[in-house]
């Protein structure tokens, strides 16, 4: 779509406002609007100014002026703003140098796609994320100098099986039994279908929707794969739609990886493959129908996975899910069909076009642009340096004995540990200037000071249970 076509689309839909969306550094959409009369073809070249110092992880106050540059190919009619509004996703530009901003996650993703083409290895990378989430009825939390708590509630939660609800009709999924009974046990199917319908109106191709394993409204809606930047754009729109549809039902959605103790957390298994000249490069005659190039790609992911964790699993809460011996794939191995491995080779279809690697450790708290870019860069490093992943592990990893399990490396056990690995291992991200030193240093510093240290300083409620009577 061209700028002229965007303006035509706005007129045809009687839009009165133009809304501009862009991403802060951690990965949350920001926005502002202008009357549609201000929308001009020149705006797609000259941009619009805003204060970058108020955006998390961005400019200092003395260099705060920034520009948004709308991308005309991302235009859609916003389904949640009362007055007709056309929305566009934007890149960020420095108003003085006119250069794209090194900490703009979308620009980093665009550079990753360009780097792939520059290597000659391939010209297209496809990503297919499966972002799980929870739909709750109530969430309360607070933290101050003398108290701290959270309280989650869901009409589906098995903990409400004895609650007086006038009447309580039962049909609440037991822990780890939400995958996937029919209604009335699955009480959220109508809401999920509305989410799917809104996604389709906005140009997202949805393949399926269903309840997920956990009690209390865990869900999954799967989009069809797409190229790196486009699927990251779609994932942001996906989250926006899901949260706003849930709000219409007076419910709330979280993509937090582990909101419930004692039940499954939310992951974001990410399918990926590289193509060139319209042909898939991951299909071959090797293990599980993989090409040598695909095995090298997997080798790169496994080699750099501990550093990748700081980007693909970027919250302290991520490591409540990534716990050895539980449901998340923390063991750094690859296998066909085996869902206990960090990387799985799906075998649903014999078609070469379907051959892909499914990286299973990421979670949906990540900044998709950064996570997809980082995984691509790790995979390309594996191809460029012919990093073979070794032998596959076609056993149930959870059933391995201590001696055999000791030979299988694992993901980091905390965000702090992951950040330390990223600090030591990030040269592969800087090839082609995809991730700059400034972006990596800012990411590490932000996560350490705003999240790791902030959590470390505060007493945890469970510590009172463990230690108060000492």
């Amino acid at each position: 779509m061209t700028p002229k076509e965007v303006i035509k689309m706005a007129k045809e839909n009687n839009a009165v406002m133009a809304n501009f969306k862009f991403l802060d550094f951690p990965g949350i959409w920001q926005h502002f609007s202008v009357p549609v009369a201000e929308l001009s073809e020149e705006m797609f070249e000259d941009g619009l100014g805003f204060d970058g110092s108020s955006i998390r992880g961005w400019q200092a106050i003395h260099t705060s002026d920034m520009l948004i540059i709308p991308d005309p190919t991302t235009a859609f009619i916003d389904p949640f703003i009362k007055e007709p509004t056309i929305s566009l996703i934007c890149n960020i530009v420095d108003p003085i140098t006119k250069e794209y901003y090194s900490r703009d996650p979308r620009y980093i993703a665009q550079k990753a796609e360009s780097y792939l083409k520059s290597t000659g290895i391939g010209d297209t990378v496809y990503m297919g994320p499966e972002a799980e989430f929870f739909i709750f009825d109530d969430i309360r939390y607070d933290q101050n100098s003398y108290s701290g708590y959270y309280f989650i509630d869901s009409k589906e939660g098995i903990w409400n099986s004895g609650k007086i609800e006038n009447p309580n009709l039962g049909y609440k999924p037991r822990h780890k039994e939400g995958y996937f009974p029919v209604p009335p046990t699955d009480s959220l199917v109508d809401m999920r279908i509305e989410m799917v319908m809104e996604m389709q109106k906005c140009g997202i191709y949805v393949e399926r929707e269903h309840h997920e394993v956990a009690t209390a409204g865990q869900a999954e809606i799967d989009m069809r794969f797409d190229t790196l930047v486009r699927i990251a754009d779609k994932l942001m729109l996906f989250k926006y739609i899901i949260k706003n549809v849930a709000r219409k039902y007076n419910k709330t959605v979280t993509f937090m990886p582990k909101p419930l103790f004692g039940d499954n957390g939310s992951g974001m298994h990410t399918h990926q493959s590289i193509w060139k000249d319209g042909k898939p490069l991951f299909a071959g005659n090797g293990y599980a129908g993989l090409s040598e190039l695909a095995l090298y790609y997997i080798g790169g992911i496994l080699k750099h996975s501990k550093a990748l964790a700081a980007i693909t699993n970027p919250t302290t809460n991520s490591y409540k899910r990534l716990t050895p011996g539980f449901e998340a794939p923390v063991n750094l191995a690859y296998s066909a069909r085996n869902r206990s491995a960090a990387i799985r080779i799906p075998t649903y279809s014999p078609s070469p076009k379907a051959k892909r690697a499914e990286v299973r450790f990421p979670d949906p708290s990540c900044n998709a642009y950064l996570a997809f870019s980082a995984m691509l860069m790790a995979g390309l490093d594996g191809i460029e340096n012919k990093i073979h992943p070794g032998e596959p592990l076609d056993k149930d990893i959870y059933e391995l004995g201590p001696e055999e399990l000791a030979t299988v490396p694992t993901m980091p056990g905390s965000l702090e540990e992951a950040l330390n690995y990223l600090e030591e291992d990030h040269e592969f991200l800087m090839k082609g200037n995809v991730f700059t030193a400034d972006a990596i240093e800012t990411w590490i510093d932000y996560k350490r000071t705003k999240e790791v240290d902030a959590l470390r300083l505060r007493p945890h409620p469970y510590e009172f249970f463990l230690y108060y009577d000492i």
Side-chain angles (χ1 to χ4, degrees):
M1 189 175 292
T2 66
K4 187 185 295 293
E5 290 170 331
V6 171
I7 294 170
K8 180 182 178 183
M9 179 182 178
K11 290 179 179 177
E12 289 176 346
N13 287 275
N14 300 313
V16 297
M17 300 294 288
N19 183 259
F20 304 108
K21 294 177 170 67
F22 60 96
L23 209 65
D24 68 8
F25 204 38
I28 302 295
W29 251 356
Q30 313 294 309
H31 80 128
F32 64 88
S33 300
V34 301
V36 77
E38 296 291 313
L39 188 64
S40 65
E41 292 184 53
E42 290 73 25
M43 186 181 291
F44 291 87
E45 292 286 338
D46 301 335
L48 281 171
F50 72 101
D51 178 6
S53 68
S54 298
I55 306 301
R56 294 185 301 169
W58 276 18
Q59 295 288 79
I61 191 70
H62 64 285
T63 55
S64 61
D65 288 352
M66 303 292 286
L67 293 174
I68 58 130
I69 304 293
D71 182 341
T73 67
T74 66
F76 65 96
I77 300 301
D78 198 302
F80 302 109
I81 299 177
K82 182 179 178 181
E83 297 296 336
T85 297
I86 189 165
S87 282
L88 298 115
I89 301 173
C90 305
N91 281 87
I92 309 302
V93 168
D94 186 293
I96 306 299
T97 65
K98 301 299 182 183
E99 294 180 352
Y100 284 89
Y101 186 38
S102 65
R103 297 184 205 170
D104 175 11
R106 194 166 191 265
Y107 178 47
I108 290 172
Q110 289 166 334
K111 288 190 290 181
E113 286 189 316
S114 295
Y115 179 72
L116 168 62
K117 293 176 183 177
S118 75
T119 65
I121 293 169
D123 52 37
T124 306
V125 57
Y126 288 112
M127 295 279 175
E130 299 174 353
E132 298 166 342
F133 55 97
F134 278 89
I135 303 169
F136 294 134
D137 288 283
D138 190 39
I139 171 67
R140 291 180 281 124
Y141 51 88
D142 195 14
Q143 180 79 55
N144 51 52
S145 63
Y146 59 89
S147 69
Y149 74 92
Y150 68 90
F151 182 84
I152 292 169
D153 206 7
S154 165
K155 292 177 182 177
E156 269 202 2
I158 189 61
W159 59 84
N160 281 323
S161 61
K163 184 178 180 181
I164 298 173
E165 293 182 339
N166 298 313
N168 187 327
L169 300 177
Y171 302 117
K172 302 179 192 301
R174 289 175 286 272
H175 289 295
K176 300 182 182 294
E177 293 188 21
Y179 190 85
F180 25 51
V182 299
T185 302
D186 179 1
S187 67
L188 301 169
V189 62
D190 288 336
M191 187 191 312
R192 294 197 309 271
I193 289 174
E194 184 170 338
M195 292 169 178
V196 170
M197 300 303 290
E198 292 295 346
M199 289 177 193
Q200 291 175 332
K201 291 176 188 176
C202 292
I204 296 175
Y205 190 109
V206 176
E207 294 186 327
R208 70 180 64 188
E209 62 79 21
H210 57 84
H211 204 288
E212 255 298 339
V213 175
T215 188
Q218 192 182 35
E220 182 177 318
I221 299 174
D222 294 334
M223 299 181 289
R224 175 164 289 186
F225 63 88
D226 208 333
T227 54
L228 193 154
V229 174
R230 287 179 60 83
I231 198 66
D233 287 343
K234 288 179 180 178
L235 186 58
M236 295 309 301
L237 181 54
F238 170 96
K239 290 185 173 184
Y240 180 67
I241 289 170
I242 286 172
K243 290 177 180 179
N244 280 284
V245 169
R247 186 171 182 178
K248 282 177 60 179
Y249 285 78
N250 203 30
K251 294 182 185 289
T252 179
V253 160
T254 183
F255 288 89
M256 187 175 174
K258 191 74 173 182
L260 296 180
F261 169 69
D263 213 334
N264 284 37
S266 293
M268 191 179 74
H269 308 152
T270 305
H271 301 254
Q272 40 205 284
S273 64
I274 294 176
W275 292 50
K276 187 174 184 179
D277 298 328
K279 297 179 180 179
L281 301 184
F282 275 20
N285 299 317
Y287 172 79
L290 292 175
S291 65
E292 188 174 55
L293 180 143
L295 287 169
Y296 290 150
Y297 186 95
I298 290 169
I301 296 281
L302 291 176
K303 176 183 178 181
H304 297 296
S305 56
K306 295 186 178 185
L308 287 175
I311 299 172
T312 60
N313 305 82
T315 67
T316 58
N317 184 255
S318 297
Y319 299 86
K320 303 294 193 297
R321 169 181 169 262
L322 286 180
T323 303
F326 292 88
E327 82 276 3
V330 300
N331 298 288
L332 296 174
Y334 74 103
S335 176
R337 303 180 67 182
N338 187 348
R339 294 173 188 267
S340 62
I343 300 179
R344 185 176 76 98
I345 315 304
T347 56
Y348 296 123
S349 171
S351 171
K353 293 181 178 180
K355 193 56 62 180
R356 60 199 188 274
E358 178 192 3
V359 183
R360 293 176 62 81
F361 54 78
D363 69 57
S365 69
C366 70
N367 181 325
Y369 298 93
L370 301 184
F372 298 160
S373 299
M375 285 188 283
L376 172 63
M377 296 302 289
L380 290 177
D381 186 63
I383 294 170
E384 291 167 334
N385 292 291
K386 298 184 177 180
I387 301 170
H388 197 279
E391 294 300 313
L393 192 56
D394 289 332
K395 301 177 182 179
D396 184 345
I397 296 174
Y398 302 126
E399 298 297 324
L400 296 181
E403 291 185 5
E404 195 171 6
L405 191 60
T407 66
V408 182
T410 61
M411 293 289 286
S414 68
L415 178 57
E416 181 175 24
E417 187 180 345
L419 291 167
N420 291 340
Y421 279 114
L422 179 60
E423 198 166 45
E424 296 169 3
D425 178 24
H426 58 256
E427 292 299 321
F428 70 98
L429 296 172
M430 299 177 67
K431 292 180 181 178
N433 203 37
V434 173
F435 285 79
T436 61
D438 168 66
I440 294 170
E441 290 167 6
T442 301
W443 182 262
I444 292 171
D445 181 67
Y446 182 92
K447 288 289 173 177
R448 280 179 173 160
T449 58
K450 302 294 186 182
E451 299 179 30
V452 173
D453 290 346
L455 191 67
R456 193 200 328 262
L457 291 170
R458 288 165 170 81
H460 188 284
Y462 197 65
E463 290 177 317
F464 287 84
F465 176 84
L466 293 173
Y467 309 126
Y468 187 77
D469 59 348
I470 288 176

